[in-house]
Amino acid sequence: MAADRVQQLQAEGVKSAQLYGADDKVLGGLNAFYLLVDKPETYGLPSNPKLPSRKVPLSSFLSVFTAILTGLGVLFAFRGRTQQERRAPA
């Protein structure tokens, strides 16, 4: 039905009418598609989208690395505090 509507719009003079996401060209196919009468950027859609999951391994590594550094910082901060309490006269 959507393809028929695109053909109808194009016959009426809207030459830029297109289905966005209906084929496998956009991220291997979407679960939904849009009937656009202008460029995808006009609607806030990327014309050449990329899968965000391709950046997951790097961001996961950086998150774990940051967590370890934060844990070490807290450990050394408390360690320094307890050592100062031991040195202080009672």
Side-chain angles (χ1 to χ4, degrees), residues 3 8 12-13 15 19 21 38-40 45 57-58 65 79-81 84 86 88 90:
Q8 178 187 3
E12 292 175 2
K15 298 297 180 189
L19 289 176
D38 206 346
K39 292 187 250 180
L45 298 169
L58 176 62
F65 183 70
R79 183 175 176 212
R81 187 172 132 195
Q84 287 177 354
R86 288 183 191 162

Side-chain angles (χ1 to χ4, degrees), residues 44-73:
L45 298 169
S47 61
N48 188 15
K50 295 180 179 32
L51 286 173
S53 61
R54 292 192 179 159
K55 296 182 180 182
V56 169
L58 176 62
S59 63
S60 297
F61 170 75
L62 293 175
S63 297
V64 169
F65 183 70
T66 303
I68 290 171
L69 287 179
T70 303
L72 287 174

Side-chain angles (χ1 to χ4, degrees), residues 3-78:
D4 292 340
R5 178 68 176 145
V6 169
Q7 288 177 354
Q8 178 187 3
L9 286 171
Q10 289 178 346
E12 292 175 2
V14 184
K15 298 297 180 189
S16 60
Q18 62 177 317
L19 289 176
Y20 179 86
D23 55 5
D24 292 342
K25 288 189 258 179
V26 178
L27 299 177
L30 301 175
N31 291 329
F33 57 89
Y34 304 94
L35 174 61
L36 306 179
V37 292
D38 206 346
K39 292 187 250 180
E41 293 86 9
T42 306
Y43 303 97
L45 298 169
S47 61
N48 188 15
K50 295 180 179 32
L51 286 173
S53 61
R54 292 192 179 159
K55 296 182 180 182
V56 169
L58 176 62
S59 63
S60 297
F61 170 75
L62 293 175
S63 297
V64 169
F65 183 70
T66 303
I68 290 171
L69 287 179
T70 303
L72 287 174
V74 169
L75 178 70
F76 285 119
F78 282 119

